[in-house]
Coordinates of all heavy atoms in Angstrom, one line a residue:
D94 N 3.8 26.3 -9.0 CA 3.1 26.2 -10.2 C 2.1 25.1 -10.1 O 1.0 25.2 -9.5 CB 3.9 26.2 -11.5 CG 5.2 25.4 -11.2 OD1 5.1 24.2 -10.9 OD2 6.3 25.9 -11.4
T95 N 2.5 23.9 -10.7 CA 1.5 22.8 -10.6 C 1.8 21.9 -9.4 O 1.3 20.9 -9.3 CB 1.5 22.0 -11.9 OG1 3.0 21.6 -12.1 CG2 1.1 22.8 -13.0
N96 N 2.9 22.3 -8.6 CA 3.3 21.4 -7.5 C 2.5 21.6 -6.2 O 2.7 20.9 -5.2 CB 4.9 21.7 -7.2 CG 5.1 23.0 -6.8 OD1 4.3 24.0 -7.1 ND2 6.1 23.3 -6.0
L97 N 1.5 22.6 -6.1 CA 0.7 22.8 -4.9 C -0.8 22.7 -5.2 O -1.3 23.2 -6.2 CB 1.0 24.2 -4.4 CG 0.2 24.6 -3.0 CD1 0.7 23.7 -1.9 CD2 0.4 26.0 -2.8
L98 N -1.5 21.9 -4.3 CA -2.9 21.9 -4.4 C -3.4 22.1 -3.0 O -2.8 21.6 -2.0 CB -3.3 20.4 -4.8 CG -3.2 20.0 -6.3 CD1 -3.7 18.6 -6.5 CD2 -4.0 21.0 -7.2
I99 N -4.5 22.8 -2.9 CA -5.2 23.0 -1.6 C -6.6 22.5 -1.6 O -7.4 22.8 -2.7 CB -5.2 24.6 -1.3 CG1 -3.9 25.2 -1.4 CG2 -5.9 24.8 0.1 CD1 -4.0 26.8 -1.5
S100 N -7.0 21.7 -0.7 CA -8.3 21.1 -0.8 C -9.4 22.2 -0.7 O -9.4 23.1 0.2 CB -8.5 20.2 0.4 OG -9.9 19.8 0.6
A101 N -10.4 22.1 -1.5 CA -11.6 23.0 -1.5 C -12.3 22.9 -0.2 O -13.0 23.8 0.1 CB -12.5 22.6 -2.7
N102 N -12.2 21.7 0.4 CA -12.9 21.5 1.7 C -12.1 22.0 3.0 O -12.7 21.9 4.1 CB -13.3 20.1 1.9 CG -14.4 19.7 0.9 OD1 -15.0 20.5 0.3 ND2 -14.8 18.4 1.0
A103 N -10.9 22.5 2.8 CA -10.2 22.9 3.9 C -10.8 24.1 4.5 O -11.2 25.0 3.8 CB -8.7 23.2 3.6
H104 N -10.9 24.2 5.8 CA -11.5 25.3 6.5 C -10.6 26.5 6.6 O -9.4 26.3 6.8 CB -12.1 25.0 7.9 CG -13.4 24.1 7.8 ND1 -14.6 24.7 8.2 CD2 -13.7 23.0 7.2 CE1 -15.6 23.8 7.8 NE2 -15.0 22.8 7.2
L105 N -11.2 27.7 6.5 CA -10.4 28.9 6.7 C -10.3 29.3 8.1 O -11.3 29.3 8.9 CB -11.1 30.1 5.8 CG -11.1 29.9 4.4 CD1 -12.0 30.9 3.8 CD2 -9.7 30.0 3.8
I106 N -9.1 30.0 8.4 CA -9.0 30.5 9.7 C -9.3 32.1 9.4 O -8.6 32.6 8.5 CB -7.5 30.5 10.3 CG1 -7.3 28.9 10.7 CG2 -7.4 31.3 11.6 CD1 -6.0 28.7 11.3
M107 N -10.1 32.7 10.1 CA -10.6 34.1 9.9 C -10.1 34.9 11.0 O -9.7 34.4 12.1 CB -12.2 34.1 9.9 CG -12.8 33.1 9.0 SD -12.4 33.4 7.2 CE -13.2 35.0 6.9
P108 N -10.0 36.2 10.8 CA -9.5 37.1 11.8 C -10.2 37.0 13.2 O -9.5 37.1 14.2 CB -9.7 38.5 11.3 CG -9.6 38.3 9.8 CD -10.3 36.9 9.5
Y109 N -11.5 36.7 13.2 CA -12.2 36.5 14.5 C -11.7 35.3 15.2 O -11.8 35.2 16.4 CB -13.7 36.6 14.3 CG -14.3 35.8 13.2 CD1 -14.6 34.4 13.3 CD2 -14.6 36.4 11.9 CE1 -15.1 33.7 12.3 CE2 -15.1 35.6 10.8 CZ -15.4 34.2 11.1 OH -15.9 33.5 10.1
H110 N -11.3 34.2 14.5 CA -10.8 33.1 15.1 C -9.5 33.4 16.0 O -9.4 32.9 17.1 CB -10.4 32.0 14.2 CG -11.7 31.4 13.4 ND1 -11.7 31.1 12.1 CD2 -12.8 31.0 13.9 CE1 -12.9 30.7 11.7 NE2 -13.6 30.5 12.9
K111 N -8.7 34.2 15.4 CA -7.5 34.5 16.1 C -7.9 35.4 17.2 O -7.3 35.3 18.3 CB -6.6 35.3 15.0 CG -5.2 35.5 15.6 CD -4.3 36.2 14.5 CE -3.1 36.6 15.4 NZ -2.1 37.3 14.5
A112 N -8.7 36.3 17.0 CA -9.2 37.3 18.1 C -9.7 36.5 19.3 O -9.4 36.8 20.5 CB -10.1 38.3 17.6
I113 N -10.6 35.5 19.0 CA -11.2 34.8 20.1 C -10.2 33.8 20.8 O -10.1 33.7 22.0 CB -12.4 33.9 19.5 CG1 -13.5 34.9 19.0 CG2 -12.9 32.8 20.5 CD1 -14.7 34.2 18.4
D114 N -9.3 33.2 20.0 CA -8.2 32.4 20.6 C -7.4 33.2 21.6 O -7.3 32.8 22.7 CB -7.3 32.0 19.4 CG -6.2 30.8 19.9 OD1 -6.3 30.6 21.1 OD2 -5.4 30.5 19.0
V115 N -7.0 34.4 21.2 CA -6.1 35.3 22.0 C -6.9 35.7 23.3 O -6.5 35.6 24.4 CB -5.6 36.5 21.3 CG1 -4.9 37.4 22.2 CG2 -4.6 36.0 20.2
A116 N -8.2 36.2 23.0 CA -9.0 36.7 24.1 C -9.4 35.5 25.1 O -9.3 35.8 26.3 CB -10.3 37.3 23.6
S117 N -9.7 34.3 24.6 CA -10.0 33.2 25.5 C -8.8 32.7 26.4 O -9.0 32.5 27.5 CB -10.6 32.1 24.6 OG -10.2 30.8 25.2
E118 N -7.6 32.8 25.8 CA -6.5 32.4 26.5 C -6.2 33.5 27.7 O -5.9 33.1 28.8 CB -5.2 32.4 25.7 CG -5.1 31.2 24.8 CD -4.6 29.9 25.5 OE1 -3.3 29.9 25.7 OE2 -5.4 29.1 26.1
R119 N -6.4 34.8 27.3 CA -6.3 35.8 28.3 C -7.3 35.6 29.5 O -6.9 35.7 30.6 CB -6.5 37.2 27.6 CG -6.1 38.3 28.5 CD -5.9 39.7 27.9 NE -6.1 39.8 26.4 CZ -7.2 40.3 25.9 NH1 -8.3 40.7 26.6 NH2 -7.2 40.3 24.5
L120 N -8.5 35.3 29.1 CA -9.5 35.1 30.2 C -9.2 33.9 31.1 O -9.6 33.9 32.2 CB -10.9 34.9 29.4 CG -12.0 35.2 30.3 CD1 -12.1 36.7 30.5 CD2 -13.3 34.7 29.5
K121 N -8.5 32.9 30.5 CA -8.3 31.6 31.3 C -7.2 31.9 32.3 O -7.1 31.1 33.3 CB -7.8 30.6 30.4 CG -9.0 30.0 29.6 CD -8.5 28.6 29.0 CE -9.6 28.0 28.0 NZ -9.4 28.2 26.6
G122 N -6.5 32.9 32.3 CA -5.4 33.2 33.2 C -4.4 32.1 33.3 O -3.9 31.6 32.3
N123 N -4.2 31.6 34.6 CA -3.1 30.6 34.8 C -3.7 29.1 34.3 O -3.0 28.2 34.4 CB -2.7 30.5 36.2 CG -3.7 30.2 37.3 OD1 -4.8 30.0 36.8 ND2 -3.3 30.3 38.5
K124 N -4.9 29.1 33.9 CA -5.4 27.9 33.4 C -5.4 27.8 31.8 O -6.0 27.0 31.1 CB -6.9 27.7 33.7 CG -7.2 27.3 35.2 CD -7.5 25.9 35.2 CE -8.0 25.5 36.8 NZ -6.9 25.5 37.7
K125 N -4.6 28.8 31.2 CA -4.5 28.9 29.8 C -3.8 27.7 29.2 O -3.0 26.9 29.9 CB -3.9 30.2 29.4 CG -2.3 30.2 29.7 CD -1.8 31.4 29.0 CE -0.2 31.3 29.1 NZ 0.5 32.3 29.6

Side-chain angles (χ1 to χ4, degrees):
D94 35 57
T95 56
N96 60 337
L97 179 68
L98 286 181
I99 308 165
S100 168
N102 284 358
H104 280 247
L105 289 169
I106 296 184
M107 306 298 294
Y109 46 85
H110 291 137
K111 190 174 167 184
I113 291 170
D114 189 359
V115 172
S117 145
E118 284 280 277
R119 193 170 349 109
L120 204 69
K121 285 194 184 102
N123 63 5
K124 289 255 186 292
K125 71 171 191 228

